[in-house]
């Protein structure tokens, strides 16, 4: 019951952009950037029970030049933020960022001067994953949603302009400690 049985006379038509999007989606290589308890759940998602190898992501890359997905798992301190940015800058284009856990997304329960209140103040984030810590099933679900986002993303200079716009908005965002809302 392969693809050739479903196609009339074995012909498949698509665009080059469609094939390029499919290959980018199917070959995301994550960089290791585990900083706290979320990293244990990230490691568990790569183990045999959850098996991220079925998505082509079985090897977490230690070199940022071999990775195109950064999973920021845990809280980011002010001292770690420049290192995070340097690793992000060294990653191959196109690159994607997933903020795993409430600490990476918004600083979590650590509302103090030492912790960055959201990793989006350092790098542009493509997907936020809530939880403290989020389960491996949630990480796999977020990766599948990121696959859909990657497959429908812009290419070339349009993608670069989109990244610059998101990065500028993130860097100019008001810190969460200064935001006014229902809880203050």
């Amino acid at each position: 019951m392969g693809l050739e049985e479903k196609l009339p006379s074995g012909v498949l038509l698509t665009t080059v952009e469609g094939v390029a999007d499919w290959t980018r989606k199917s070959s995301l290589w994550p960089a290791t950037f585990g900083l706290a308890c979320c990293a244990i759940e990230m490691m568990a998602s790569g183990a045999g029970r959850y098996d991220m190898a079925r998505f082509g992501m079985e090897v977490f890359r230690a070199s940022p030049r071999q990775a195109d997905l950064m999973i920021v798992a845990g809280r980011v301190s002010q001292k770690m933020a420049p290192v995070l940015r340097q690793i992000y800058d060294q990653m191959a284009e196109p690159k994607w960022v997933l903020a795993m856990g409430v600490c990476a997304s918004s600083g979590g329960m650590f509302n103090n001067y030492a912790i960055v209140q959201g990793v989006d103040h350092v790098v542009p984030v493509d997907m936020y994953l809530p939880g403290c810590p989020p389960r491996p099933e949630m990480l796999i679900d977020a990766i599948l949603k990121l696959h859909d986002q990657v497959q429908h993303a812009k290419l070339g200079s349009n993608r670069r302009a989109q990244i610059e716009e998101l990065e500028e908005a993130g860097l100019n965002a008001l810190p969460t400690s200064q935001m006014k809302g229902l809880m203050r």
Side-chain angles (χ1 to χ4, degrees):
M1 187 132 145
L3 183 64
E4 64 276 353
E5 293 173 3
K6 295 183 179 183
L7 296 173
S9 69
V11 175
L12 176 67
L13 299 175
T14 186
T15 62
V16 173
E17 188 176 19
V19 172
D21 289 341
W22 180 80
T23 56
R24 286 188 318 158
K25 170 194 85 121
S26 302
S27 66
L28 286 178
W29 287 359
T32 54
F33 208 83
L35 298 168
C37 46
C38 291
I40 296 169
E41 300 294 328
M42 181 176 67
M43 288 183 268
S45 67
R49 182 175 197 152
Y50 300 102
D51 192 24
M52 286 195 341
R54 55 193 160 148
F55 308 115
M57 301 175 65
E58 64 270 11
V59 180
F60 282 87
R61 302 294 167 177
S63 170
R65 290 173 181 87
Q66 297 175 345
D68 53 2
L69 169 63
M70 177 185 281
I71 302 174
V72 181
R75 60 189 178 269
V76 178
S77 66
Q78 295 289 350
K79 285 187 175 183
M80 186 58 74
V83 176
L84 174 77
R85 183 62 198 208
Q86 181 181 11
I87 290 174
Y88 175 80
D89 290 337
Q90 291 175 353
M91 288 173 58
E93 287 284 346
K95 47 193 164 189
W96 311 91
V97 178
L98 192 148
M100 180 178 178
V102 70
C103 293
S105 298
S106 65
M109 65 192 96
F110 304 101
N111 190 8
N112 60 32
Y113 66 92
I115 303 297
V116 175
Q117 299 299 306
V119 75
D120 54 353
H121 292 285
V122 182
V123 294
V125 176
D126 297 295
M127 181 72 61
Y128 294 93
L129 175 59
C132 184
R135 299 274 308 141
E137 298 94 345
M138 295 171 67
L139 176 60
I140 290 173
D141 181 58
I143 288 171
L144 290 175
K145 289 178 181 171
L146 187 63
H147 279 183
D148 188 53
Q149 187 176 342
V150 168
Q151 190 167 8
H152 296 97
K154 297 177 180 179
L155 292 175
S157 60
N158 295 331
R159 169 78 177 141
R160 212 167 292 117
Q162 182 184 25
I163 288 173
E164 289 173 4
E165 179 181 310
L166 290 172
E167 196 171 271
E168 186 68 30
L171 293 174
N172 292 332
L174 190 65
T176 53
S177 61
Q178 296 176 3
M179 290 182 179
K180 305 293 183 208
L182 296 175
M183 302 303 285
R184 297 208 179 242

